[in-house]
Amino acid sequence: MKANIFAGLALAGLVGLSACATSEDIVPVPYAVSTATATPGAQSIRVTVASSDARTENRARIGAQINGYGMEMAAIRSQVEVTDIVRDAIAAELRQRGYQVGDTGARVNAEVTTFYNDFSVGMLAGKSKADVGLTVTVTNAAGSEVYRRAIAGQAERTVQLANGGNAATTLSQALSLALKELMGDPAFVAALTR
């Protein structure tokens, strides 16, 4: 009897992880802006934000659904271009800190090198692991590069379903961690004023 219950639970876990894994999932990737306080003097600093796609693999998707055996199934795609998600997130973080984001001033560019979520199977639940990698540069008004840094964010969550919604949530968390690292870099803040 106990063996049947255990087998039933294991089967339910496998079915949960593989539900709808054969149809492509197109999802929004939400971004929650931090509650950071304004940077002193930021209100007088103008910044332009741009992004570009430097991914060498997985450019057409942000993850893949898996079945209960861990085999890759249908693609997970973002409703919005990944570069737009990153650009808008950086702009939102700068605005939160009081910077004037527009078409003039220092130019912040984020090259997206990684933006992908992987799922894995567990006994009763799976894992969603997201990696976000960016190469961020700042160019001053004269056109000289004054800052360059590779930034990374990783997030991992326990999930019941290997679907687009869970991939998007984990990617959003990874992006938040990457931008927390960027915004906390004194050299980045200093580069915006050069």
Side-chain angles (χ1 to χ4, degrees):
M1 182 71 169
K2 287 184 182 179
N4 287 342
I5 291 172
F6 181 73
L9 287 172
L11 181 61
L14 290 174
V15 169
L17 279 173
S18 63
C20 300
T22 57
S23 57
E24 192 172 281
D25 212 352
I26 300 173
V27 295
V29 180
Y31 181 76
V33 181
S34 70
T35 57
T37 58
T39 301
Q43 68 278 2
S44 63
I45 300 171
R46 297 189 179 280
V47 182
T48 301
V49 181
S51 61
S52 55
D53 198 341
R55 292 176 290 172
T56 56
E57 50 187 35
N58 298 315
R59 289 186 81 159
R61 60 188 187 164
I62 59 170
Q65 300 171 68
I66 61 171
N67 65 18
Y69 301 103
M71 294 169 32
E72 191 173 292
M73 302 297 280
I76 300 171
R77 302 186 198 286
S78 174
Q79 281 181 349
V80 177
E81 289 292 330
V82 167
T83 52
D84 292 344
I85 294 166
V86 171
R87 182 198 64 222
D88 293 347
I90 293 172
E93 290 294 347
L94 289 168
R95 282 190 193 99
Q96 175 67 25
R97 289 161 175 77
Y99 293 95
Q100 303 300 309
V101 178
D103 296 328
T104 60
R107 179 181 173 87
V108 176
N109 186 66
E111 288 184 340
V112 181
T113 55
T114 310
F115 198 92
Y116 199 76
N117 182 82
D118 277 310
F119 289 108
S120 61
V121 178
M123 182 58 78
L124 296 176
K127 293 282 186 191
S128 172
K129 183 179 180 211
D131 290 294
V132 171
L134 310 171
T135 300
V136 179
T137 59
V138 177
T139 307
N140 65 17
S144 299
E145 185 178 292
V146 293
Y147 178 87
R148 175 178 286 269
R149 182 176 174 196
I151 302 289
Q154 290 87 30
E156 185 174 306
R157 302 170 50 241
T158 299
V159 296
Q160 293 296 322
L161 297 173
N163 64 12
N166 280 323
T169 299
T170 312
L171 279 163
S172 181
Q173 291 174 350
L175 179 58
S176 292
L177 291 170
L179 295 191
K180 180 178 181 182
E181 184 178 338
L182 175 66
M183 298 297 164
D185 183 355
F188 173 72
V189 175
L192 299 177
T193 63
R194 291 186 193 172

